[in-house]
Amino acid sequence: MNIKDRYRPYNFSSTKCYVVQLPFSVDVRSGYFAIEEKLPVHIGKLKGLLVTINADLSNPVVLAVILSFNEGLLKNLQIPVWHPLALRHNSHPIPFDEEIFSNSIMQGYFIVPPAERRFDGYISIYLHYEERKP
Amino acid sequence: MSLPKIKYQQITITVPSAGTEVPIDADTDKLYNRVTGINIVMTDQTNTFSKLQLDINNIEIFPENFEVLRLLFRTQVPFGYEYHELNEAASGSKVKGKYKDVDSGATFPYIVTLSLRLENK
């Protein structure tokens, strides 16, 4: 993607969107929050991914969320997540072009930022996709 | 007199208090056949984690739990890039959905304006 396309607003009609929203309440001693979510069967091909976190954070640029799809065959996607105040004009999901198995489970985790004692909020994972062809 | 080539149709809702869910129900202008863009303006941009669910012509554009922060532009957006692109049928299509406030400390009431860009293509 060249810089001109990067700043061109995203075409929300080009893909369908599904949002996985997971609340969390993690103590820094436990270290991480695990993500596990069964994806709807109509998600055929993932075209883009974007993650936001709604939490009261002291660190402006936050963390990386590690995700894997297709039972680990498509793994170790590190998705950067920015502080909500830094988030503006971020309509573009991270480009992605992968078939998703039916009944696939999205798995992953993020590590609690060391500056936080308790980390409460919710994570939203935006999956932009094309529908599965019959 | 001919029609303007582009029409910007505004749909305005008022959010009266924290946590309110406000329905959106409107029709697009019958004289334009495509919705080609959308922009969101809020009089108080504190509650950016509020959720916007929207269908145009019975096609889901923004699903449940879609946060409005994804649709807000930064202040120095380049000229001509101020609208997120859409390509949906207009000509009197139903615009239906809901706006659910997620309070982060905004002053109430505040106004949310959905601006649709309509064209004939």
Side-chain angles (χ1 to χ4, degrees):
Chain A
M1 184 185 284
N2 66 36
I3 194 75
K4 211 171 165 183
D5 289 335
R6 179 71 201 165
Y7 282 94
R8 187 182 296 279
Y10 187 65
N11 186 342
F12 282 96
S13 294
S14 65
T15 54
K16 291 192 169 291
C17 182
Y18 179 73
V19 185
V20 176
Q21 200 161 72
L22 303 168
F24 57 80
S25 178
V26 200
D27 193 286
V28 71
R29 285 168 296 184
S30 66
Y32 76 104
F33 175 73
I35 297 164
E36 189 165 289
E37 182 79 9
K38 186 175 181 303
L39 298 180
V41 72
H42 60 264
I43 294 182
K45 190 183 235 188
L46 264 189
K47 298 297 287 181
L49 249 168
L50 191 138
V51 181
T52 65
I53 284 188
N54 182 2
D56 193 12
L57 299 162
S58 52
N59 192 356
V61 177
V62 209
L63 34 91
V65 175
I66 316 297
L67 290 175
S68 74
F69 295 89
N70 289 350
E71 282 64 63
L73 285 176
L74 196 62
K75 62 185 177 183
N76 291 346
L77 290 166
Q78 291 198 21
I79 316 291
V81 181
W82 297 80
H83 190 279
L85 295 177
L87 267 176
R88 273 296 167 84
H89 193 64
N90 66 329
S91 60
H92 275 278
I94 294 166
F96 200 63
D97 193 22
E98 293 292 342
E99 298 283 349
I100 296 296
F101 301 160
S102 54
N103 299 316
S104 180
I105 295 172
M106 175 174 68
Q107 292 170 306
Y109 64 92
F110 64 81
I111 294 169
V112 177
E116 313 293 330
R117 287 178 62 212
R118 178 144 205 97
F119 199 45
D120 299 323
Y122 58 82
I123 179 169
S124 303
I125 303 168
Y126 292 81
L127 305 170
H128 288 266
Y129 67 94
E130 288 176 355
E131 290 200 323
R132 187 176 305 284
K133 294 186 178 97
Chain B
M1 200 170 80
S2 63
L3 278 176
K5 286 182 179 160
I6 302 176
K7 171 169 178 163
Y8 295 96
Q9 181 176 348
Q10 320 286 335
I11 301 167
T12 301
I13 57 170
T14 303
V15 184
S17 56
T20 315
E21 188 174 292
V22 184
I24 298 165
D25 192 355
D27 297 329
T28 61
D29 191 321
K30 287 191 171 68
L31 297 176
Y32 294 84
N33 62 18
R34 301 305 292 173
V35 184
T36 60
I38 187 168
N39 188 8
I40 307 285
V41 181
M42 301 160 80
T43 54
D44 188 326
Q45 292 200 352
T46 315
N47 290 2
T48 52
F49 284 101
S50 298
K51 289 157 189 171
L52 176 70
Q53 188 272 320
L54 198 72
D55 294 357
I56 298 178
N57 196 29
N58 293 322
I59 293 171
E60 186 179 75
I61 308 298
F62 307 125
E64 291 282 341
N65 294 325
F66 192 97
E67 291 160 324
V68 77
L69 63 87
R70 285 203 60 194
L71 301 173
L72 297 173
F73 284 100
R74 62 203 167 95
T75 46
Q76 304 91 349
V77 61
F79 184 72
Y81 279 21
E82 312 92 333
Y83 277 69
H84 300 285
E85 291 180 15
L86 291 178
N87 184 18
E88 302 298 335
S91 307
S93 292
K94 275 272 172 214
V95 180
K96 278 187 90 99
K98 61 192 175 193
Y99 177 91
K100 173 94 169 70
D101 177 73
V102 175
D103 190 24
S104 310
T107 307
F108 293 92
Y110 65 88
I111 292 168
V112 180
T113 302
L114 285 75
S115 178
L116 299 177
R117 186 175 62 201
L118 305 177
E119 292 180 73
N120 277 318
K121 285 195 168 175

